[in-house]
Amino acid sequence: MVHAPEIDGLSSMQKEYLLAMAQDDGPSATAEIAKRLDRDIHYANVYRTQLIKEDVIYSPAWGQVDFKLPYMRDYLREHGAYHFLHSGTE
């Protein structure tokens, strides 16, 4: 009920960024996310910045990001494919 509305308004690339983060059990290294997305770090940082402004993720330490909403990682692991496939933007 809380997680789906948070994700629904995001672009497909923002969702892809979150899915890349969900592979980690804790904070994600931004360089590793870029690698998983098969993009350079500057491209990935555009979406990192957007997601921070949207208040979906935050930076707990330099070069790292984590989910702001509790249990978002678990939700994406379980429902991420659905949200990605039903993305209507970008």
Side-chain angles (χ1 to χ4, degrees):
M1 293 283 219
V2 175
H3 297 96
E6 185 79 18
I7 295 169
D8 285 341
L10 300 177
S11 72
S12 61
M13 192 60 208
Q14 289 172 325
K15 291 176 187 179
E16 203 171 326
Y17 191 98
L18 295 177
L19 289 172
M21 285 179 61
Q23 294 178 37
D24 296 315
D25 291 329
S28 301
T30 54
E32 184 61 31
I33 294 169
K35 193 160 117 178
R36 289 176 188 157
L37 296 172
D38 197 26
R39 308 284 187 185
D40 68 47
I41 191 76
H42 302 292
Y43 182 91
N45 276 339
V46 169
Y47 294 95
R48 173 190 175 274
T49 301
Q50 290 174 0
L51 289 164
I52 288 172
K53 285 182 182 178
E54 293 282 338
D55 213 26
V56 177
I57 64 173
Y58 72 102
S59 180
W62 187 86
Q64 293 185 339
V65 289
D66 205 354
F67 295 102
K68 197 116 187 227
L69 194 61
Y71 304 106
M72 177 66 88
R73 177 177 289 105
D74 299 322
Y75 178 82
L76 285 170
R77 287 177 176 176
E78 189 171 333
H79 303 285
Y82 173 83
H83 286 287
F84 184 73
L85 291 172
H86 291 87
S87 177
T89 58
E90 200 175 345

